[in-house]
Amino acid sequence: MKTLIFAASAAMLPYAALAHDGMAVTDAYARGANPKSGAAFMLLENHRKVDCTLSGVASDAAERVELHSNSEVDGVMKMAPIPDGITIPAEGEELLTRGGNHVMMMGLKAPLEDGQVIKMTLDFGECGTEEVEIPVDNQRSGDSAADDMDDHQHGHENH
């Protein structure tokens, strides 16, 4: 019996390797900014030998889902859509963070509540799509005060 289990395990190894032959999404979570908007953050890992660009995101949780970036302009943090997507270099990674690049959800169909799971489809163009389930964690704190989710409310109150 041990031989059979070992043989079956060995036969599955090539398939396990294939699971990491594309894009991987880790450490994903979402937070609500207010009852109508929220954001998702995650680590995107590119296991391919070519650059991959996250060009769009879709979710049934909100009317609009966009890639956004924060930048400081004249001492004020501003948020704006990223029209050309986010490129993840070959065999590299990109961290979507509070206070940086992130996924913005506007026109939430319901406020984001702790423990809830949001389904998203990440579109990497020629590198394919990834279906992810993102837990809501409104208690998760950022690395600095600039990462505070309150920053995400500015400019999104009417979405």
Side-chain angles (χ1 to χ4, degrees):
M1 184 68 168
K2 288 182 184 178
T3 304
L4 181 59
I5 292 172
F6 178 76
S9 296
M12 294 302 291
L13 283 176
Y15 297 106
L18 289 176
H20 297 288
D21 192 29
M23 294 300 303
V25 178
T26 59
D27 199 27
Y29 74 101
R31 288 176 52 100
N34 59 53
K36 286 297 193 180
S37 66
F41 315 98
M42 64 201 76
L43 177 63
L44 304 174
E45 299 172 324
N46 182 356
H47 297 278
R48 294 173 176 256
K49 301 223 183 270
V50 297
D51 292 351
C52 293
T53 300
L54 177 60
S55 56
V57 182
S59 176
D60 290 338
E63 292 172 15
R64 288 184 16 218
V65 183
E66 299 177 350
L67 297 171
H68 276 205
S69 180
N70 284 345
S71 61
E72 189 174 328
V73 178
D74 297 325
V76 177
M77 289 301 287
K78 302 230 179 203
M79 190 177 334
I82 304 172
D84 297 327
I86 299 169
T87 299
I88 302 89
E91 298 180 333
E93 59 188 38
E94 175 74 20
L95 183 61
L96 303 187
T97 64
R98 295 162 58 189
N101 294 341
H102 59 278
V103 176
M104 192 72 207
M105 297 173 282
M106 296 162 287
L108 289 172
K109 296 181 180 172
L112 299 181
E113 297 183 18
D114 286 325
Q116 177 183 357
V117 174
I118 298 169
K119 293 183 180 183
M120 285 190 178
T121 302
L122 307 179
D123 184 355
F124 293 98
E126 292 181 16
C127 292
T129 60
E130 290 290 325
E131 303 286 328
V132 293
E133 292 186 351
I134 301 174
V136 174
D137 186 352
N138 289 310
Q139 307 311 311
R140 188 161 169 177
S141 62
D143 293 334
S144 69
D147 292 339
D148 194 337
M149 213 28 219
D150 291 337
D151 291 342
H152 291 280
Q153 291 183 34
H154 301 293
H156 290 289
E157 294 89 351
N158 298 320
H159 292 293

